[in-house]
Amino acid sequence: MELIRIPALNDNYIWLLADADHQCIIVDPSESEPVIKIINQKKLTPVAILLTHHHNDHVGGVPQLLTHYAKLPVFGPAETAKKGTDHLVTDGDSINIGSFYFNVIALPGHTLGHIGFYQAPYLFCGDTLFSAGCGRIFEGTPEQMFQSLERISALPDDTLICCAHEYTESNLKFAHHIWPENEAITNYLHLIHTKRQKLEPTVPSTLKTERKINLFLQCNNSDLQKKLAIKIDKPSLRATFTLLRQLKDQF
Ligand SMILES: [Zn+2]
């Protein structure tokens, strides 16, 4: 398999996964032109579009792609029905096309219907988990987002976090602000800053890395809880997560 990352719009990534037969799936095409360009360059045959949620910066390129590649199936949650999806999928479904076999995982929080697509080691998680951060909670509750991150966290260490935005450096600045003594976060911030100075991408990340540098996956860490000065005797993980997310929104 070859994983291809296509920069789009301001800070979006569109993902392509191509197999040995040059068939590929397209994930969250915010635009069509850069996708068509890469498909032509690499002589790929698209076999499906996968959509994680309904926001325009994830589905904007669908109509043009469907004009270009007739009869291309589009898989997505019910909230994407008006965005071109003709195969509605939900938690527990699998998508089997050629050598692709994706499990659909419900990841509500950013939007109510948000889903992820997992085929080891690739996780296309849209706007749920970002490198060093997580998505804003627009439609769901902190409880839902926390549970969605827990589901991702249950995947193996070598899972590739294929998220839809280049937000890593700003997420790390927030993490460093909250927890300046955390060496893993400080070191990673320096590494990522250097990469971004050269305009290099910082994703996919691995779940192993995220467990070390992503505050939202460390809500059970008592040092982090102390940092947040949570004034509860035994802060619940959910309370820690909710406070972190509020602080990030205000940062
Ligand atoms: Zn979104």
Side-chain angles (χ1 to χ4, degrees):
M1 290 279 173
E2 184 190 4
L3 180 67
I4 303 159
R5 176 192 48 241
I6 306 174
L9 303 179
N10 275 342
D11 51 27
N12 277 75
Y13 289 124
I14 302 166
W15 296 97
L16 262 57
L17 190 62
D19 69 8
D21 298 328
H22 295 268
Q23 296 200 317
C24 76
I25 54 101
I26 305 162
V27 185
D28 282 355
S30 47
E31 299 182 272
S32 58
E33 297 93 89
V35 175
I36 294 166
K37 197 174 149 199
I38 292 284
I39 284 175
N40 290 341
Q41 264 175 19
K42 292 186 172 275
K43 300 188 169 57
L44 300 173
T45 306
V47 292
I49 296 175
L50 310 183
L51 303 177
T52 61
H53 65 293
H54 68 83
H55 287 158
N56 279 339
D57 62 329
H58 295 254
V59 304
V62 172
Q64 284 289 344
L65 287 172
L66 292 180
T67 309
H68 212 85
Y69 307 107
K71 294 183 185 155
L72 193 60
V74 184
F75 296 84
E79 64 177 34
T80 59
K82 287 181 185 150
K83 311 283 182 161
T85 295
D86 57 354
H87 290 66
L88 296 182
V89 287
T90 183
D91 189 55
D93 284 349
S94 53
I95 300 167
N96 197 357
I97 305 169
S99 51
F100 299 106
Y101 191 94
F102 288 98
N103 288 311
V104 176
I105 308 173
L107 299 173
H110 179 70
T111 66
L112 283 173
H114 198 301
I115 57 173
F117 301 93
Y118 177 62
Q119 172 173 333
Y122 310 98
L123 175 70
F124 299 103
C125 54
D127 288 354
T128 301
L129 183 68
F130 293 122
S131 184
C134 76
R136 271 180 193 266
I137 300 166
F138 284 125
E139 296 176 11
T141 62
E143 173 81 21
Q144 284 175 319
M145 189 57 136
F146 179 75
Q147 281 177 8
S148 295
L149 296 186
E150 294 247 284
R151 287 197 75 180
I152 293 176
S153 191
L155 295 172
D157 268 353
D158 67 351
T159 302
L160 288 169
I161 305 300
C162 305
C163 54
H165 289 276
E166 179 61 65
Y167 289 161
T168 314
E169 188 176 8
S170 70
N171 286 338
L172 284 165
K173 283 179 181 163
F174 169 71
H176 181 66
H177 164 77
I178 293 287
W179 201 353
E181 301 84 0
N182 184 309
E183 276 187 34
I185 288 171
T186 307
N187 293 341
Y188 203 62
L189 173 59
H190 289 312
L191 179 87
I192 292 300
H193 178 70
T194 309
K195 277 195 169 193
R196 293 307 296 157
Q197 292 287 94
K198 294 182 267 180
L199 298 177
E200 287 174 12
T202 66
V203 293
S205 169
T206 64
L207 201 48
K208 189 178 179 185
T209 298
E210 293 307 312
R211 292 190 212 286
K212 291 181 202 147
I213 55 103
N214 195 317
L215 295 185
F216 295 94
L217 297 183
Q218 297 181 70
C219 293
N220 61 349
N221 186 302
S222 55
D223 289 336
L224 174 60
Q225 290 172 348
K226 271 181 216 145
K227 280 278 147 206
L228 294 169
I230 292 177
K231 294 185 181 51
I232 324 170
D233 267 354
K234 281 186 188 155
S236 73
L237 303 186
R238 285 163 181 74
T240 309
F241 173 81
T242 304
L243 179 58
L244 260 184
R245 188 57 256 181
Q246 281 169 358
L247 292 170
K248 177 66 169 70
D249 286 344
Q250 296 154 8
F251 183 65

